[in-house]
Amino acid sequence: MLGIIPIPPELLDKRLIFVTGKGGVGKTTVAVALGLRAAEEGRRTIVCEVASQENASRIFDHTEVGFHEVEMAENLWSISIDPDEAMREYVLLQLKVRAMRDMLFRSRIFSYLAAATPGLKELVTIGKIWELAQLDRKVKKGRKYDLVIVDAPATGHGVGFLQTPRTFAAIARVGPIHSQAQRLDSFLTDHEQTGVAIVALPEEMPVNESAALERDLRDEVGVAVDRVYLNGLYPERFTNEETDRLREVAEGENGSVRAAARAAVSEHERARSQRAQLSRLRRRVKAPIKTLPFLFEPELGPEAARRLSRRLA
Ligand SMILES: Nc1ncnc2c1ncn2[C@@H]1O[C@H](COP(=O)(O)OP(=O)(O)OP(=O)(O)O)[C@@H](O)[C@H]1O
Ligand SMILES: [Mg+2]
């Protein structure tokens, strides 16, 4: 077997998927669509939000999800991971001595600890994500999931979130924090178990940033980048001849027809420039690229997410 690189499993066959990308590119939408797809294929799936975003519940019209596993659709659950709650749960699972737990909860020790330890919130969040992905759940009577999908925080500050366990493992050189952080890091960087999907927009800067993000995730963090979703692609509605004709009309006299022709030409040009960005993205990233159409709807709900889910695999 020496020298043969094993083929990693298909994206949805992994246990854990992080959906990442810049702010506002469609991470939540893609995370939910992936969740719907996996659930429709019969996988028991949970979509996790982090840092109190509560976005996925918006798509499903649920007012609030919170730190509970809530069923959204058949085979599909959702949870919003609050770091304070995750920390509480972690301590509860660790400490066997009741009196000590009570003392810890009464004091404001969590807030102090979190304030004094940068990255601790991220660490307990990833710890909870890991816990959800275990078939042998630490939480008593925890539901077993085939797949955990994380609507990851926007990558405004690089790839820090996914690197948290390694950072902690390095700081705490020995002891339980070291070994637990290392276990998290091994899980995240195990290409068989954990995958990453990057969401990008078909514009110049976002394409550049996505290419840089893929490189950092692969080379610095060491995770598997399995897909890049280019989201919000406009349809190409017109041929070149039709566009020439539209341009003539757009130069013409008649007020409302001229306005409509101008709008059509402008949308056509946008669709064309997006195709150019798609070609650039193809040259710059290694992961397979899937395009997702722009849906012309004021607010994307479950139906729209379902439509996108068919384009994802
Ligand atoms: N393919 C699409 N077609 C039309 N609208 C879309 C599409 N994808 C996402 N949107 C819309 O764009 C907005 C941003 O999407 P979304 O909330 O999924 O992005 P995000 O990356 O999670 O943002 P944030 O970084 O703020 O969490 C939402 O209003 C969403 O409904
Ligand atoms: Mg979001």
Side-chain angles (χ1 to χ4, degrees):
M1 290 296 280
L2 215 69
I4 297 174
I5 302 166
I7 299 167
E10 260 305 296
L11 184 61
L12 294 180
D13 290 330
K14 296 195 172 186
R15 296 204 59 77
L16 176 56
I17 302 170
F18 287 89
V19 179
T20 184
K22 296 288 272 192
V25 293
K27 295 180 298 299
T28 300
T29 308
V30 168
V32 169
L34 273 171
L36 281 166
R37 173 68 181 242
E40 266 171 22
E41 290 180 5
R43 293 177 184 81
R44 298 161 63 83
T45 304
I46 186 161
V47 176
C48 307
E49 310 209 317
V50 299
S52 344
Q53 301 167 12
E54 299 270 347
N55 280 319
S57 49
R58 193 195 57 208
I59 294 180
F60 285 96
D61 251 359
H62 278 245
T63 38
E64 200 177 303
V65 172
F67 195 64
H68 315 281
E69 298 161 42
V70 176
E71 190 162 13
M72 294 287 189
E74 197 187 349
N75 283 333
L76 185 64
W77 283 264
S78 173
I79 185 172
S80 176
I81 300 178
D82 171 56
D84 290 340
E85 298 267 14
M87 176 102 81
R88 229 165 226 279
E89 185 182 279
Y90 172 76
V91 172
L92 272 173
L93 291 169
Q94 296 292 314
L95 293 180
K96 305 283 186 282
V97 185
R98 175 110 206 212
M100 185 134 166
R101 292 192 328 216
D102 291 348
M103 186 200 77
L104 272 174
F105 286 138
R106 268 201 308 277
S107 68
R108 293 187 29 82
I109 191 149
F110 295 133
S111 327
Y112 295 135
L113 255 182
T117 319
L120 187 61
K121 288 191 170 191
E122 287 79 4
L123 185 71
V124 292
T125 301
I126 291 175
K128 178 62 190 174
I129 290 165
W130 173 86
E131 192 276 321
L132 286 164
Q134 302 309 301
L135 287 174
D136 178 19
R137 298 272 310 266
K138 304 282 170 211
V139 171
K140 251 194 231 155
K141 300 201 190 105
R143 204 175 280 110
K144 288 181 174 52
Y145 296 105
D146 299 310
L147 176 62
V148 176
I149 298 173
V150 182
D151 178 5
T155 54
H157 311 284
V159 291
F161 181 67
L162 288 171
Q163 234 165 359
T164 312
R166 193 173 310 159
T167 308
F168 270 82
I171 296 168
R173 301 213 333 263
V174 289
I177 299 286
H178 173 80
S179 55
Q180 287 174 18
Q182 210 161 43
R183 189 162 56 181
L184 295 181
D185 184 57
S186 311
F187 195 76
L188 297 192
T189 53
D190 178 348
H191 294 195
E192 296 276 321
Q193 312 241 45
T194 302
V196 175
I198 296 175
V199 186
L201 289 178
E203 292 161 30
E204 181 161 350
M205 281 305 285
V207 163
N208 297 348
E209 285 160 1
S210 301
L213 176 61
E214 185 197 43
R215 205 178 46 232
D216 290 349
L217 286 169
R218 277 178 200 277
D219 301 346
E220 282 176 35
V221 190
V223 288
V225 180
D226 295 298
R227 284 280 188 293
V228 177
Y229 290 111
L230 194 65
N231 186 28
L233 211 64
Y234 276 39
E236 278 196 301
R237 300 185 203 269
F238 310 113
T239 63
N240 284 341
E241 287 110 64
E242 285 165 342
T243 317
D244 288 345
R245 182 82 192 89
L246 279 168
R247 283 211 173 86
E248 281 165 28
V249 178
E251 301 293 311
E253 291 300 316
N254 185 325
S256 57
V257 172
R258 185 171 64 184
R262 280 189 177 168
V265 168
S266 135
E267 194 189 300
H268 176 75
E269 278 163 1
R270 180 150 181 196
R272 288 284 290 271
S273 105
Q274 290 186 338
R275 297 306 180 286
Q277 295 307 328
L278 173 58
S279 309
R280 285 185 63 238
L281 187 68
R282 287 211 172 99
R283 288 196 296 274
R284 283 165 186 237
V285 301
K286 290 188 185 147
I289 298 166
K290 296 270 173 191
T291 62
L292 297 173
F294 186 88
L295 300 180
F296 294 87
E297 282 168 35
E299 188 91 33
L300 302 191
E303 238 344 281
R306 232 173 261 282
R307 250 187 294 151
L308 288 177
S309 78
R310 303 202 178 100
R311 313 280 297 252
L312 286 169

